[in-house]
Structures are given as C-alpha cells and as structure tokens.
Amino acid sequence: NAEYMGVGSGTFPFHRQPFFMHSPASPVSPVVHFRNLPQGVTELDIRTAFKGFGTPAHIIIIPKNQALVEMEDINAAVAFVTYFSNVSCTIRGQAVAVEHSTHQSLNRKSAPDHNQSAGAMDTPSRILLITVQDCYYPITLDVAHQILSPHGVVEKIVMSNKGNKFCILAQFNHVESAKMAMHTLQGQHVYSNACKLIIQFSKHTDLNVTRNTDRSRDYVNPHIMSENGLLPTPPSSSTALAHLPPLSSQTHHGHPPPHYSTHSTQHDATQTTVLLLTNLNPDKTTCTTLFNLFSSYGNVDRVKLFFTKPDQGLIQMSNYAGAQSALQNLKDAVVFGKTLGIRPSKHRSINPTRTNVGSTDEAKAEARYFADFTNSRQRFRDGGPRSVANICPPTSVLHLSNLAPSTTQQQLTDLMSSLGRVVAAKLFEVSNRLMCLVRFDSIETA
C-alpha cells in the first residue's frame, strides 16, 4: 500500500522517485492540467489536492480522465506543479499526472456549465442561486436569512446539495433587492476564509415551498405545515445568530471581511465551547500538551485538569466552531498511548484559577492543573492564511512552517528523530517561505 504525506487536509504519497515528472519546458501558467484521473473524480477531490497550496478559482473536469484547474495566484500553481515534480500526486488512491497547461486562463463560457441543472442564468431575477464554496462550517436557514435580509425582503429560501456543492436558492420580493444582494455579497466569505459565496441569478420565477423544514422556509407564509407541526421550531435569530455580527456592504479587496470572523466568544445558549476530555494519560498530559493539540482546530482559551480525576479535564475553545472542529477531528485519537474521549461539557465556561494561593509550591500545583491562553499567540487569531482551510484529522505527517532560510532537511530530521521514528522528510518552498513535511511511523507518534 502507498504511504501518504499530507498538506492541510490533502494526502500525498511520498516516494523517493517521482511517478510523473512535468517537463521543464512546460510554460508557466496559473492553469494546472491533470491527466490520468480516476473514474468518477469530483471537483471536491481535486480541490482537496490543493490544500496547503492555494485556492482554485475554477475547475473544469474534461473527457478522457482529465481536468483543468485555474488558480487564483500563479505562484500557487507554480508551487503545486514544482512540488509534484518530485513526489507523485494521488487522488482517490491513483497516481495522476500534473503539469502546467498551455492555457493562461479558462474561458468560463466555454466550460461545461455545472449550474444549469440548478437553474442559473444571466438575466436579472428576484431569485438568486448561491453556491457555497469551501463549506467547512454548516450554513443553516437562519444564517442564510441573516446574510440576505439586510438587502431586501426575503420571501423564501431553499437549500440543497447539488453533487458535491452546497446551494441556496433565495427569493426576494423585488429584483432590485436581489441585484443589491448579489452585488454586495458576491465573493464574500461567511466565515474567515471559509464558506465563500458564488452568486448567480436563477431561472426560476417562484420557489415552491410546500413544507417548512430545516432546509426550506416560506417567510411570507410561516404557518404552512412543518415537519413537526404547524410551525417550525428553530432557535430565534436573536439567539442562534448572536455570534454573527451585522453584515456590511463594504468591499474588502478579496479578503474576508473582519465582521464575518468566527472568532467571537459569544455563542448560542444551547451551544457550549467547553469540551470534557476523558481517558487522558495523567503521567504525560499537561495543560500545554492539550493546548498544542487542540490549537490546531481553533483558538484555545483555557485548560483545566481535574485534581481528583487525573485522567479527565476540560478545555474551553474561543468559539463554538472551534469546539466542533476539535470534537469532530480528535474524537478517539490515540494520545500518549490512550484513546482520547471527548464530548461537549455541561459547563458553559472554565472558571479562572485562584489568585490568593498561599505559597510558591501551592502556586506551582495550581499552575499544573489550570492554564489561561486567552492572551497567547494562536494559529487562528488573525484569520490569516493558516486558517480553517488547512484543518484535517491527525495524520502521520507534520507540516512545519515558519522555518529560518538556513534550515536544512537534515537538521529537521535529526530534531524530529529525537521524538520518534522518522520515515521520510521533504523540504520545499511556497511563495518564498521555507516549509517541511515530516512523516513518522504512525499517527500516534506524530
């Protein structure tokens, strides 16, 4: 079986010799050409392969197991092709060929229109077709309504999955309201670097909502039959959306607006940012080790270990999205030889430790069981490129960044070998930044 190396949430087999080599004579282009793709490959499969390199602006799957991918940044395309000239790129377990395309851009009009089945058109309409890209967080009816309602009266919303895409059909009372929403929200991110909105006019003239459910809602006639009775029973927008500040119509030049950030500490009363951890290894687990592990999935506020139950503890994330990300990705992970138990806690927050400790020894003992990281520098604090786009479950590969230019592969191999058996290492550059992939003999070691 092939052994894999991962960048972000993508996986890449590591071989001493490349399976495919792109020709040095190939022209440099922001468009990447894939050949030998597996049958049934999806746009999501291809998009996943680019995790850690950049965001594809457009993907076209063409006949004969091929695809063309236009990157937003030509440097990202160069880094991707250069990297996979040394190691093989694998999608769905099959090695594929990667090279620069002779095209410098993709003609959207000549590309197959994957939105036609969803009813997209160019003529202005009061119904919008919204495709959500990089949908790493759930988009509910209430979230969609809050995003759209500042631009006009929203009559109906219908959400669905079209293949591997999450789509929203939203009907306004006037065409002008739909045009304003499209102009303001086009290309915006609902959350920091996640859930990008691609908006088109729909060919539908009226949305048919026969039942109010968690996927469809008629706001003009809220009393039509719901799944559970005459009225739907979602949380009110005043509580469920407390973590989403009012939206702005300002343009942010391609960067997610700061008010879309998921890093607010407010949350719904039915949601908790505190997780209960069980089956810890008390001999090796500290507040710092838990911070290091969980901060890969969101900002960590506080960590507390139980004095009377040394194999249990609490960790408080900065927001609900971070808590859910940690819960989904770390559940049943093996940490220090024990399978980690993790579930939402009944506590809403972790109380700070005492400040009137009587002695130095008592203060050290207190610090052993509690730590506050709210003022620490953390991975997701600024919502920058090290964002939710790179979140993935633990793998046997570590992605090292922020390396000094003089760092050598041997230095990193020696350093990591002191912690566990290193199977392979690869030093590379992305946008003039030195990085390294280090694969250990197991996920637990990593």
Side-chain angles (χ1 to χ4, degrees), residues 47-126:
R47 190 175 294 275
T48 300
F50 282 90
K51 296 301 182 186
F53 290 93
T55 303
H58 195 53
I59 299 176
I60 302 176
I61 298 176
I62 56 180
K64 298 184 179 180
N65 302 326
Q66 300 181 74
L68 295 173
V69 181
E70 181 179 349
M71 300 297 292
E72 292 181 350
D73 182 3
I74 189 172
N75 293 326
V78 172
F80 184 84
V81 174
T82 300
Y83 177 78
F84 286 112
S85 67
N86 296 311
V87 299
S88 66
C89 178
T90 298
I91 296 179
R92 287 194 176 186
Q94 179 171 313
V96 301
V98 174
E99 61 187 355
H100 285 291
S101 171
T102 56
H103 299 285
Q104 290 299 313
S105 64
L106 297 180
N107 186 345
R108 308 298 200 270
K109 292 183 179 180
S110 63
D113 191 349
H114 299 289
N115 289 314
Q116 286 301 318
S117 60
M121 68 176 185
D122 296 327
T123 305
S125 165
R126 66 183 183 131

Side-chain angles (χ1 to χ4, degrees), residues 300-304 314-316 350-352 370-374:
V300 177
D301 284 352
R302 293 167 180 164
V303 181
K304 183 175 184 178
L314 296 172
I315 188 162
Q316 180 178 341
I350 298 177
N351 293 327
F370 175 86
D372 190 320
F373 298 98
T374 53

Side-chain angles (χ1 to χ4, degrees), residues 155-157 207-213 216-233:
E155 294 183 340
K156 301 175 184 179
I157 296 178
L207 296 181
N208 183 24
V209 177
T210 60
R211 183 180 293 266
N212 284 334
T213 71
S216 63
R217 186 74 50 79
D218 187 334
Y219 295 93
V220 177
N221 184 18
H223 300 290
I224 63 175
M225 185 68 69
S226 70
E227 287 182 327
N228 300 312
L230 293 177
L231 295 176
T233 57

Side-chain angles (χ1 to χ4, degrees), residues 1-223:
N1 292 330
E3 295 183 354
Y4 290 85
M5 300 199 72
V7 179
S9 60
T11 52
F12 307 94
F14 188 92
H15 300 281
R16 295 185 181 276
Q17 298 296 330
F19 188 90
F20 289 105
M21 294 286 288
H22 84 283
S23 170
S26 299
V28 175
S29 165
V31 180
V32 178
H33 183 196
F34 285 83
R35 294 182 289 107
N36 195 43
L37 290 167
Q39 292 291 336
V41 68
T42 66
E43 182 177 316
L44 181 60
D45 293 327
I46 298 173
R47 190 175 294 275
T48 300
F50 282 90
K51 296 301 182 186
F53 290 93
T55 303
H58 195 53
I59 299 176
I60 302 176
I61 298 176
I62 56 180
K64 298 184 179 180
N65 302 326
Q66 300 181 74
L68 295 173
V69 181
E70 181 179 349
M71 300 297 292
E72 292 181 350
D73 182 3
I74 189 172
N75 293 326
V78 172
F80 184 84
V81 174
T82 300
Y83 177 78
F84 286 112
S85 67
N86 296 311
V87 299
S88 66
C89 178
T90 298
I91 296 179
R92 287 194 176 186
Q94 179 171 313
V96 301
V98 174
E99 61 187 355
H100 285 291
S101 171
T102 56
H103 299 285
Q104 290 299 313
S105 64
L106 297 180
N107 186 345
R108 308 298 200 270
K109 292 183 179 180
S110 63
D113 191 349
H114 299 289
N115 289 314
Q116 286 301 318
S117 60
M121 68 176 185
D122 296 327
T123 305
S125 165
R126 66 183 183 131
I127 300 178
L128 296 181
L129 169 63
I130 305 171
T131 303
V132 184
Q133 294 182 350
D134 301 325
C135 195
Y136 301 112
Y137 296 107
I139 301 296
T140 64
L141 281 169
D142 288 332
V143 171
H145 188 266
Q146 180 172 336
I147 293 170
L148 297 167
S149 59
H151 309 287
V153 177
V154 179
E155 294 183 340
K156 301 175 184 179
I157 296 178
V158 176
M159 303 190 304
S160 63
N161 291 92
K162 299 293 184 181
N164 59 358
K165 296 181 179 180
F166 180 73
C167 298
I168 302 170
L169 284 169
Q171 178 176 315
F172 288 85
N173 62 337
H174 295 298
V175 174
E176 291 304 317
S177 297
K179 290 169 65 176
M180 178 61 71
M182 180 176 180
H183 174 75
T184 304
L185 299 175
Q186 184 72 268
Q188 297 278 25
H189 293 76
V190 178
Y191 301 109
S192 179
N193 277 11
C195 303
K196 183 178 180 179
L197 304 178
I198 305 300
I199 306 175
Q200 299 170 282
F201 292 112
S202 171
K203 68 180 181 181
H204 294 288
T205 57
D206 186 74
L207 296 181
N208 183 24
V209 177
T210 60
R211 183 180 293 266
N212 284 334
T213 71
D214 61 348
R215 306 279 283 183
S216 63
R217 186 74 50 79
D218 187 334
Y219 295 93
V220 177
N221 184 18
H223 300 290

Side-chain angles (χ1 to χ4, degrees), residues 174-390:
H174 295 298
V175 174
E176 291 304 317
S177 297
K179 290 169 65 176
M180 178 61 71
M182 180 176 180
H183 174 75
T184 304
L185 299 175
Q186 184 72 268
Q188 297 278 25
H189 293 76
V190 178
Y191 301 109
S192 179
N193 277 11
C195 303
K196 183 178 180 179
L197 304 178
I198 305 300
I199 306 175
Q200 299 170 282
F201 292 112
S202 171
K203 68 180 181 181
H204 294 288
T205 57
D206 186 74
L207 296 181
N208 183 24
V209 177
T210 60
R211 183 180 293 266
N212 284 334
T213 71
D214 61 348
R215 306 279 283 183
S216 63
R217 186 74 50 79
D218 187 334
Y219 295 93
V220 177
N221 184 18
H223 300 290
I224 63 175
M225 185 68 69
S226 70
E227 287 182 327
N228 300 312
L230 293 177
L231 295 176
T233 57
S236 65
S237 59
S238 60
T239 56
L241 299 177
H243 63 288
L244 285 178
L247 304 186
S248 167
S249 60
Q250 296 178 0
T251 302
H252 294 271
H253 308 291
H255 297 286
H259 53 256
Y260 281 105
S261 174
T262 61
H263 308 312
S264 169
T265 57
Q266 295 178 322
H267 52 273
D268 182 2
T270 63
Q271 301 172 342
T272 178
T273 61
V274 181
L275 300 174
L276 173 64
L277 311 180
T278 59
N279 202 36
L280 300 172
N281 185 330
D283 296 328
K284 295 184 177 181
T285 302
T286 65
C287 292
T288 301
T289 57
L290 290 175
F291 168 79
N292 290 339
L293 180 62
F294 279 78
S295 61
S296 291
Y297 301 97
N299 294 328
V300 177
D301 284 352
R302 293 167 180 164
V303 181
K304 183 175 184 178
L305 299 175
F306 296 150
F307 180 79
T308 55
K309 298 179 180 179
D311 64 339
Q312 296 185 21
L314 296 172
I315 188 162
Q316 180 178 341
M317 308 298 288
S318 294
N319 54 67
Y320 178 69
Q324 286 299 298
S325 177
L327 178 63
Q328 294 168 7
N329 287 284
L330 289 177
K331 189 174 183 180
D332 297 329
V334 178
V335 182
F336 296 133
K338 304 192 73 174
T339 301
L340 177 66
I342 176 173
R343 65 176 183 268
S345 170
K346 64 181 181 180
H347 297 284
R348 316 313 296 177
S349 64
I350 298 177
N351 293 327
T353 185
R354 295 178 297 157
T355 57
N356 58 340
V357 291
S359 65
T360 302
D361 291 340
E362 190 175 4
K364 290 181 179 179
E366 196 79 15
R368 165 70 175 83
Y369 293 98
F370 175 86
D372 190 320
F373 298 98
T374 53
N375 294 322
S376 301
R377 183 180 179 184
Q378 299 199 40
R379 179 183 182 94
F380 301 94
R381 189 67 72 193
D382 57 2
R386 295 173 300 174
S387 65
V388 295
N390 294 323

